[in-house]
Amino acid sequence: MKITIVGAGAIGRLWGCKLAQHHQVHFWTREQTQDLTITLQPLEPKSELQTSQFPANQIEQLQHSECILITVKAFQVKQALSDIRPYLAPGVPVVIMHNGMGSQESALTLLPGNPILYATTAQAAFRPAKQQINHTGTGQTWIGALNMAGVQYEYLAKLFDQHLPPCQWHHDINKPLWQKLAINCAINPLTAIHQCRNGELTKNEFKTLLKTVCNEVALVMTAEGYPTSGRELKQLADNVIKATAQNYSSMNQDICQQRPTEIDYITGYLIARAKAHQIGVPANTRLWQQIKQLEQKNND
């Protein structure tokens, strides 16, 4: 299969390396390079580094792609879709994978003729050097259709599962997207504010706040039509904290490297939906404000 990956961040590079084992992978990036060299450190201990070279930013390859995988940040989705839209063949499925929620409307508006699918993954990757990518954790990936045209591409779940398992199809992709949002609301702001690894959140000093954050998210999720409890969400977050104890969250890295974060598509999205349902989310609002202050400080 001819696949174009839009975005060459940690997750895009990880999926690119894995999919390239059996498919033709092409990258579309913000840089004007014609090729991309990636060295992958596999998850398995003592595995040898794997170096691959990919074609990049080649319009002809984009035009002939049979699947597009978007792995840019949430706030970059609109621009990325606008950039590739002139070259997309009609009916080519577009899979969008990012932290947070809130880009769906832009996707449906910009690509009304394409099958649109969304994916959320717990696979973890870290980029220690410009060309290197380390696969640092494994976890569930869900994929599902956002529009009716996307429903016929359920087989993509099996394709992804062959390369980075486990990956499964979900008939209502908004449910796992909300569950991932809850996990991100719990982990990302705190690890960014305290500049710590995920595992540090097991300390007693974070226990009450994590519980409160999850309780607030549960109220909003339930109002959105996905009944859950704070206890259930806290358990999901705890599982991820333990499984990725040595990892730094993407928001931690963004603040550390003075880049914009996805806070408006994670906690910001939660606050917007809470407001629509007239639900108070003071703990999440404070975390959102703290991250916005850190972003502002980085910009000064």
Side-chain angles (χ1 to χ4, degrees):
M1 195 173 193
K2 296 175 181 176
I3 301 170
T4 287
I5 297 181
V6 179
I11 288 295
R13 287 169 183 251
L14 174 64
W15 280 94
C17 289
K18 292 294 187 178
L19 289 168
Q21 292 170 355
H22 294 101
H23 303 278
Q24 295 180 42
V25 173
H26 162 249
F27 277 88
W28 189 265
T29 73
R30 287 176 294 176
E31 299 171 2
Q32 296 306 306
T33 180
Q34 292 293 296
D35 54 65
L36 194 66
T37 301
I38 303 174
T39 299
L40 173 67
Q41 173 64 67
L43 186 62
E44 298 77 18
K46 299 181 180 178
S47 296
E48 291 186 10
L49 293 172
Q50 302 167 2
T51 299
S52 307
Q53 193 162 31
F54 299 91
N57 304 310
Q58 298 180 15
I59 290 174
E60 188 176 351
Q61 295 234 21
L62 179 58
Q63 289 172 326
H64 290 96
S65 293
E66 298 163 287
C67 178
I68 310 292
L69 175 58
I70 311 275
T71 60
V72 299
K73 300 274 190 183
F75 55 82
Q76 298 169 326
V77 169
K78 187 175 181 179
Q79 185 62 55
L81 294 178
S82 298
D83 290 344
I84 67 172
R85 181 170 59 168
Y87 311 112
L88 285 191
V92 170
V94 177
V95 182
I96 300 171
M97 180 188 292
H98 63 69
N99 281 334
M101 297 175 72
S103 69
Q104 291 93 329
E105 191 175 329
S106 291
L108 292 171
T109 302
L110 286 166
L111 301 177
N114 290 83
I116 305 293
L117 302 97
Y118 266 71
T120 178
T121 186
Q123 297 287 346
F126 177 64
R127 195 173 164 191
K130 187 174 182 181
Q131 290 189 346
Q132 187 172 331
I133 187 74
N134 293 356
H135 188 190
T136 56
T138 190
Q140 178 72 46
T141 299
W142 292 103
I143 183 172
L146 193 63
N147 57 8
M148 284 304 297
V151 174
Q152 63 184 306
Y153 290 94
E154 186 171 343
Y155 73 87
L156 288 175
K158 293 180 181 177
L159 186 150
F160 285 10
D161 185 65
Q162 290 169 359
H163 300 283
L164 264 179
C167 178
Q168 291 172 268
W169 181 262
H170 204 292
H171 292 284
D172 184 358
I173 191 61
N174 280 314
K175 183 174 181 179
L177 287 177
W178 264 108
Q179 289 173 329
K180 180 68 181 296
L181 186 90
I183 293 166
N184 286 152
C185 283
I187 296 174
N188 289 26
L190 279 171
T191 55
I193 291 163
H194 295 277
Q195 281 297 292
C196 63
R197 296 177 192 265
N198 293 356
E200 294 289 305
L201 298 185
T202 57
K203 291 181 177 178
N204 280 335
E205 64 191 91
F206 297 113
K207 190 174 181 180
T208 301
L209 182 51
L210 282 171
K211 184 177 178 182
T212 304
V213 166
C214 290
N215 285 342
E216 290 180 0
V217 179
L219 290 174
V220 180
M221 269 187 73
T222 300
E224 287 279 297
Y226 300 99
T228 187
S229 66
R231 186 176 180 180
E232 183 180 345
L233 296 182
K234 174 72 162 50
Q235 187 61 58
L236 288 176
D238 285 344
N239 291 343
V240 172
I241 288 167
K242 288 172 185 172
T244 62
Q246 294 304 310
N247 294 2
Y248 292 103
S249 73
S250 57
M251 194 174 292
N252 170 297
Q253 289 298 287
D254 288 338
I255 289 296
C256 179
Q257 298 177 32
Q258 300 189 351
R259 298 186 302 233
T261 75
E262 292 176 292
I263 191 68
D264 289 337
Y265 290 83
I266 298 175
T267 310
Y269 184 82
L270 174 83
I271 293 168
R273 296 315 303 154
K275 188 175 181 181
H277 296 292
Q278 297 183 312
I279 296 170
V281 286
N284 281 281
T285 301
R286 282 193 295 273
L287 291 175
W288 177 82
Q289 289 169 339
Q290 286 176 273
I291 295 295
K292 298 302 282 187
Q293 287 167 0
L294 287 172
E295 285 185 328
Q296 184 61 48
K297 186 179 177 182
N298 284 342
N299 289 331
D300 289 345

